Amino acid sequence: MSMAAGAQARPMLELGGVHKAFGGVKALADVGLRLFAGEVHTLMGQNGAGKSTLIKVLTGVHAPDAGRIELDGRPIAPDSTLAAQALGISTVYQEVNLCPNLSVAENIFIGRYPGRFGRIDWKSVHAQARSLLAQLQIEIDVGAPLASYPLAIQQMVAISRALSVSAKVLILDEPTSSLDEAEVQQLFKVLRRLREQGMAILFVTHFLDQTYAISDRITVLRNGVREGEYLAAELPRLELVNKMVGSVVIDHDRLQAATTAVADGLSSAAGDNGEVFVEASEFGRRGMLAPQDLEIRRGEVYGLCGLLGSGRTELARLLFGAERADSGQLRIGGRALKPSAPREAIAAGIGYCPEDRKKEGAILELSVRENIILALQARQGLLRVVPRRQQHRIAADYVKWLGIKTADLETPIGLLSGGNQQKALLARWLATDPGMLILDEPTRGIDVRAKQEIMDFVTALCRKGMAILFISSELPEVLRCSDRMLVLRDRQACGQYRRGELDEAGVLRVIAGEAA
């Protein structure tokens, strides 16, 4: 059981009257937050609600325009993440922010290596790293490069790094986005143990089930304003959703008009619905993906379904040429082609929104306009520069059609919320008029409304004849959206199914190797 926060004299961490704006866009307005020792406090809100900005204010990334921050009753004003860490505030961000070329142990202790006689004590570094990972029930070679492990393991290493500091407050920004259910439960065991030890934990997530599984208290942000603070046990799920959304509902008429405008602007992708666009035979790569057979047709959503590490992303990267296949045949748009680089796939009419939008998708320092125009310029080549006026027109159209919230087209994309970044990446590929769009976890880490908007656009594009290869860890989403789907296990195909042939239980039976 958690400590009774209501009986405590004061919060471990408290914010009051916090304001923050970027240019003409208000990010936070008179926001308050209380974190008590011995509690897990979940921060909820849609994309653009101000969650990420609030965390960055707490951790010294952004200075508030106004307001106060108190830690254990004392005013603080961290001006960097290191300063916040020195005060006892550790953070694990949604996107893994480590050094992939360094070892696991080096990533955990970088900048804080234990020493002996003026030298780094590597034996101690490795021993302590193994001990910290053991708390998360992870046993790996801590001397191996971080890049040799999948994203889920990298996320657990980031959490271990945060735990290695004597923290009073632990902030977890979407830490479970890349974890499977078993890994989530391992993490929650650790959080419960830390809670019992008196740590104040701020947990940011979009998952309602996880919120109610771990939370003692919930704060809801909406449009940069604190809607309220509630005890989790006293806040029904439907009421929480209503508080996050407020009186704002999805305008389906506006969405229909916008999706029609986007789809009508794409001509070459249309073709004949049902025509095979991608045909693969014994297509794969040794050590990465067993040889696969598949057909993806224009005008359909083709889903890839399986557990973390099942081979979904590997198949997408092989089709896009980000990894080179070493077996099989592939035809794209009726032409034999086995792309050895993304530029070949782009030229053949394939677009790819990757799983890790910050590492492989958005270029955070570039503007919204530059990010949207990037793929189109790459396809045309360096000698055929897209005129600045045309760039502005294309970007402005997609910002309007997709409802991307930005102060202007020249705003660095890194300042946008996760959902708006994802929409901008979708716009990047739509601007190339692709025949097929690969969407790898397009709704990861974004709120329910943004998910619905993105999937509505996907549906409209399919109606106009575009092929969609759709990958998601959320099984109900794959079942709901896919016309056909391929179930993968251990990087090989288990079977292909049409809409309605499997429910969630059936998919899990296929993955487990039982008859569907």
Side-chain angles (χ1 to χ4, degrees):
M1 296 293 292
S2 65
M3 299 171 65
Q8 297 184 43
R10 66 187 180 206
M12 174 61 71
L13 182 70
E14 184 171 16
L15 288 78
V18 172
H19 292 258
K20 184 64 185 177
F22 300 97
V25 178
K26 175 193 71 175
L28 298 173
D30 194 26
V31 170
L33 178 71
R34 303 186 305 163
L35 301 183
F36 291 93
E39 274 196 353
V40 175
H41 191 132
T42 298
L43 187 62
M44 298 289 287
Q46 299 191 89
N47 283 100
K51 304 185 300 297
S52 295
T53 302
L54 181 59
I55 289 173
K56 290 176 180 177
V57 167
L58 272 175
T59 55
V61 176
H62 298 319
D65 298 330
R68 61 182 175 84
I69 307 175
E70 294 181 359
L71 180 65
D72 205 12
R74 295 180 294 106
I76 61 170
D79 57 4
S80 68
T81 54
L82 285 177
Q85 185 174 289
L87 290 166
I89 303 173
S90 285
T91 309
V92 176
Y93 291 102
Q94 174 183 350
E95 309 290 348
V96 175
N97 190 22
L98 298 174
C99 301
N101 58 310
L102 299 182
S103 72
V104 170
E106 287 172 318
N107 270 286
I108 291 176
F109 288 102
I110 189 168
R112 301 173 291 106
Y113 295 119
R116 187 178 183 187
F117 305 123
R119 304 179 67 180
I120 296 174
D121 185 352
W122 288 109
K123 184 177 180 180
S124 178
V125 168
H126 286 80
Q128 291 184 47
R130 284 192 292 269
S131 177
L132 286 164
L133 287 167
Q135 294 183 42
L136 302 180
Q137 298 181 357
I138 301 293
E139 294 184 9
I140 58 175
D141 179 4
V142 298
L146 182 70
S148 64
Y149 292 105
L151 188 60
I153 295 297
Q154 294 183 32
Q155 182 71 76
M156 301 298 264
V157 171
I159 293 168
S160 295
R161 172 174 168 77
L163 296 179
S164 70
V165 182
S166 298
K168 299 176 182 177
V169 175
L170 178 62
I171 301 173
L172 300 167
D173 185 7
E174 295 282 357
T176 62
S177 293
S178 301
L179 307 183
D180 62 26
E181 183 59 30
E183 290 166 329
V184 169
Q185 294 309 315
Q186 289 178 11
L187 172 62
F188 282 4
K189 287 180 182 178
V190 173
L191 296 185
R192 292 184 183 106
R193 185 158 58 247
L194 293 172
R195 177 174 63 186
E196 291 168 0
Q197 294 170 0
M199 183 175 287
I201 300 170
L202 180 62
F203 183 66
V204 183
T205 184
H206 286 104
F207 299 109
L208 291 179
D209 288 346
Q210 293 180 12
T211 296
Y212 284 96
I214 196 66
S215 306
D216 300 294
R217 195 177 296 266
I218 299 170
T219 287
V220 179
L221 293 182
R222 187 170 72 240
N223 296 326
V225 178
R226 189 183 79 155
E227 193 283 333
E229 175 191 288
Y230 308 92
L231 293 174
E234 299 176 0
L235 183 64
R237 294 189 182 208
L238 181 58
E239 189 174 343
L240 170 58
V241 172
N242 288 336
K243 291 180 182 300
M244 291 167 59
V245 176
S247 59
V248 180
V249 296
I250 298 174
D251 185 343
H252 289 285
D253 290 337
R254 183 194 66 78
L255 273 175
Q256 180 61 41
T259 54
T260 299
V262 173
D264 287 345
L266 299 170
S267 56
S268 65
D272 295 325
N273 286 12
E275 172 190 327
V276 175
F277 184 74
V278 169
E279 183 179 8
S281 174
E282 294 294 309
F283 183 70
R285 176 173 172 172
R286 184 182 299 274
M288 174 178 286
L289 187 72
Q292 309 287 331
D293 294 339
L294 77 157
E295 289 183 349
I296 304 175
R297 299 177 178 275
R298 294 185 185 274
E300 76 168 349
V301 177
Y302 191 93
L304 294 184
C305 191
L307 301 179
L308 192 70
S310 62
R312 302 168 306 180
T313 295
E314 288 79 0
L315 177 55
R317 290 177 62 83
L318 286 169
L319 290 172
F320 190 62
E323 302 286 352
R324 185 176 295 186
D326 60 13
S327 67
Q329 303 298 319
L330 181 67
R331 299 182 68 84
I332 300 176
R335 184 166 63 95
L337 176 68
K338 194 182 294 181
S340 59
R343 64 178 178 273
E344 297 178 18
I346 294 171
I350 296 179
Y352 178 37
C353 290
E355 175 184 8
D356 192 335
R357 60 176 172 264
K358 290 192 175 180
K359 182 179 177 182
E360 299 179 326
I363 301 178
L364 303 183
E365 297 79 11
L366 296 185
S367 69
V368 173
R369 170 185 58 80
E370 291 167 319
N371 270 278
I372 289 176
I373 213 70
L374 197 60
L376 179 60
Q377 182 62 74
R379 191 180 69 176
Q380 294 195 179
L382 295 176
L383 300 180
R384 297 176 57 200
V385 177
V386 180
R388 181 64 175 264
R389 180 176 296 181
Q390 184 181 355
Q391 292 182 28
H392 191 279
R393 178 182 58 78
I394 291 171
D397 284 346
Y398 280 108
V399 165
K400 176 183 177 182
W401 288 336
L402 295 174
I404 300 171
K405 293 182 180 179
T406 179
D408 56 58
L409 296 179
E410 302 308 314
T411 299
I413 198 172
L415 297 181
L416 272 58
S417 69
N420 285 303
Q421 288 182 19
Q422 193 70 294
K423 290 179 183 179
L425 293 182
L426 182 60
R428 171 191 295 174
W429 294 108
L430 295 182
T432 69
D433 195 9
M436 183 175 80
L437 189 59
I438 301 173
L439 301 175
D440 191 353
E441 299 285 5
T443 61
R444 181 171 69 89
I446 64 176
D447 62 72
V448 174
R449 180 177 181 179
K451 286 182 181 182
Q452 183 63 53
E453 290 179 336
I454 287 174
M455 295 317 299
D456 280 350
F457 283 113
V458 168
T459 301
L461 294 170
C462 277
R463 286 199 299 268
K464 298 296 288 188
M466 186 181 292
I468 304 289
L469 180 61
F470 180 67
I471 304 170
S472 176
S473 296
E474 298 186 32
L475 186 53
E477 193 169 58
V478 179
L479 289 168
R480 182 174 63 253
C481 298
S482 301
D483 298 297
R484 292 185 299 143
M485 67 178 184
L486 181 69
V487 182
L488 295 164
R489 180 181 69 245
D490 298 334
R491 302 191 176 185
Q492 56 185 334
C494 301
Q496 179 179 274
Y497 302 88
R498 296 184 180 277
R499 184 193 299 273
E501 290 184 341
L502 290 180
D503 56 12
E504 290 186 52
V507 172
L508 294 177
R509 287 196 298 270
V510 172
I511 291 173
E514 301 177 2

